[in-house]
């Protein structure tokens, strides 16, 4: 049980990393500049779904337990509201949208 849970945590971390790179790329975050020349955001999303399916193929009970633990950790961090703010990709999307709106305002005659 322990080895299956640890394996699920590793695969879940890979899934979260893949989804983070997909989301940062789709929202066009100004701080996200992948240097790998073959990077494709859709491949990152595919990697996310692949990792999730591998989690359930290994053991569906520990996959559900992993999801529950990740959700509890997320809720706990959200509840604690740590003072460190590294900026989220949704904040980056709002910033990019505001920047584009200001640029269209300056382009109008």
């Amino acid at each position: 049980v322990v080895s299956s849970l640890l394996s699920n945590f590793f695969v879940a971390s890979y899934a979260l990393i893949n989804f983070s790179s997909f989301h940062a790329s789709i929202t066009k975050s100004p701080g996200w500049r992948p240097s790998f020349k073959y990077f494709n955001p859709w491949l990152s999303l595919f990697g996310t779904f692949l990792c999730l399916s591998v989690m359930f193929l290994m053991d569906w009970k520990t996959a559900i337990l992993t999801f529950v633990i990740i959700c509890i950790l997320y809720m706990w961090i959200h509840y604690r509201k740590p003072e460190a703010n590294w900026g989220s990709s949704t904040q980056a999307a709002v910033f990019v949208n505001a920047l584009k709106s200001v640029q269209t305002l300056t382009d109008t005659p």
Side-chain angles (χ1 to χ4, degrees):
V1 173
V2 174
S3 64
S4 177
L5 188 64
L6 286 175
S7 297
N8 265 315
F9 273 117
F10 278 116
V11 176
S13 67
Y14 292 136
L16 289 172
I17 289 170
N18 277 326
F19 184 74
S20 296
S21 65
F22 167 75
H23 196 262
S25 180
I26 291 299
T27 56
K28 303 207 183 328
S29 176
W32 175 251
R33 294 182 285 277
S35 59
F36 184 58
K37 81 176 187 180
Y38 298 114
F39 173 75
N40 187 347
W42 300 107
L43 190 60
S44 296
L45 185 63
F46 176 71
T48 301
F49 290 126
L50 190 65
C51 287
L52 292 176
S53 62
V54 165
M55 283 175 63
F56 280 98
L57 287 174
M58 283 193 294
D59 187 13
W60 67 272
K61 292 176 188 173
T62 55
I64 291 174
L65 181 64
T66 303
F67 275 122
V68 168
I69 291 172
I70 288 173
C71 289
I72 288 171
L73 283 173
Y74 178 79
M75 300 274 194
W76 183 66
I77 291 171
H78 187 71
Y79 172 75
R80 292 275 325 258
K81 295 186 194 303
E83 292 191 26
N85 183 10
W86 298 293
S88 66
S89 55
T90 53
Q91 288 174 337
V94 169
F95 172 75
V96 168
N97 191 16
L99 187 64
K100 285 182 182 179
S101 298
V102 168
Q103 286 176 342
T104 57
L105 282 175
T106 58
D107 290 342
T108 57

